[in-house]
Amino acid sequence: GQQVMQIPQYQHVQEGEDFTTYCNSSTTLSNIQWYKQRPGGHPVFLIQLVKSGEVKKQKRLTFQFGEAKKNSSLHITATQTTDVGTYFCAVPRTSGSRLTFGEGTQLTVNP
Amino acid sequence: NAGVTQTPKFQVLKTGQSMTLQCAQDMNHEYMSWYRQDPGMGLRLIHYSVGAGITDQGEVPNGYNVSRSTTEDFPLRLLSAAPSQTSVYFCASSLGTGPGGYTFGSGTRLTVV
């Protein structure tokens, strides 16, 4: 099945600094999804990217899908303590089934 | 609208015991999946289903069985629990098509001693 590599595994930032996590695939992806998991919680769906070169924004979060549809990134501007958690990318089969997750990037924010 | 409901939230088993983790969703979602999450391992797919009567194996299916007799329910059975199955288990569901992602349950924390 499709696999994605996610980096970095950990990121520690000071509050107000920016944060970026990256997902890379060796194959072309039909789409990519992003999830956030707070400590002790469950993954929560953030967004799905489908189109080549797509950029979507949710407040301080910017999501990008590469032109070749083989990589994606999530960028957080001016992090806040509420951003703490693990961010996962995930790729489904074309039909939407069998969602495979990257290993996640664990973000800690020092106030 | 409760979303995805998992029971129990916590469970301790002895090695060799069997049990069923329950998962139910009330969103009429076609796709349902079971994941396990271990420290540093991310989320690994155990089994998934694309509709009632249809199931398939994920990345780590050994030691687990599933069935999907209704759209709403997708139970996960541990046949003979082993310490290696100590983990947090998440059930998730999705419409299957369209722009939405998966909705996750709150998880079951299982310890096998």
Side-chain angles (χ1 to χ4, degrees):
Chain A
Q2 293 173 326
Q3 293 186 351
V4 284
M5 297 296 295
Q6 190 171 355
I7 56 171
Q9 189 174 2
Y10 302 97
Q11 186 76 60
H12 307 277
V13 299
Q14 289 294 126
E15 190 171 20
E17 292 181 338
D18 292 356
F19 159 77
T20 305
T21 175
Y22 302 89
C23 277
N24 298 294
S25 171
S26 59
T27 61
T28 303
L29 303 170
S30 59
N31 65 81
I32 191 164
Q33 301 176 10
W34 286 92
Y35 292 76
K36 176 183 178 181
Q37 184 177 23
R38 295 181 186 274
H42 58 275
V44 175
F45 172 72
L46 294 175
I47 208 161
Q48 177 172 290
L49 304 174
V50 179
K51 299 178 182 178
S52 168
E54 189 170 17
V55 178
K56 288 189 176 180
K57 293 189 175 183
Q58 292 179 351
K59 297 183 180 178
R60 294 178 294 103
L61 277 61
T62 301
F63 304 85
Q64 293 190 342
F65 203 9
E67 293 289 342
K69 299 182 71 173
K70 290 186 176 182
N71 57 73
S72 181
S73 65
L74 159 58
H75 179 81
I76 302 178
T77 303
T79 54
Q80 300 175 358
T81 54
T82 54
D83 296 325
V84 164
T86 302
Y87 292 84
F88 293 97
C89 62
V91 294
R93 281 184 176 169
T94 305
S95 63
S97 68
R98 199 185 170 108
L99 191 68
T100 301
F101 281 76
E103 294 189 355
T105 297
Q106 186 176 323
L107 172 66
T108 55
V109 180
N110 298 319
Chain B
N1 190 335
V4 179
T5 302
Q6 289 186 239
T7 55
K9 294 191 184 302
F10 301 93
Q11 182 71 51
V12 179
L13 288 179
K14 293 182 179 179
T15 298
Q17 286 185 319
S18 63
M19 79 160 294
T20 299
L21 306 185
Q22 301 291 344
C23 176
Q25 53 90 9
D26 60 359
M27 299 172 284
N28 203 31
H29 283 176
E30 286 297 319
Y31 290 6
M32 296 187 75
S33 299
W34 276 102
Y35 293 87
R36 60 177 288 173
Q37 186 172 37
D38 304 297
M41 297 290 290
L43 292 146
R44 292 185 291 170
L45 182 64
I46 304 171
H47 286 284
Y48 67 102
S49 169
V50 297
I54 306 170
T55 63
D56 206 347
Q57 295 181 350
E59 307 165 63
V60 289
N62 293 340
Y64 308 95
N65 275 358
V66 292
S67 59
R68 185 95 181 269
S69 56
T70 67
T71 299
E72 294 78 19
D73 299 298
F74 191 43
L76 178 72
R77 297 182 186 84
L78 279 70
L79 309 174
S80 177
S84 60
Q85 293 179 305
T86 294
S87 189
V88 179
Y89 292 84
F90 289 104
C91 178
S93 72
S94 166
L95 272 174
T97 57
Y102 276 72
T103 300
F104 280 75
S106 57
T108 295
R109 189 173 296 274
L110 176 68
T111 303
V112 183
V113 298

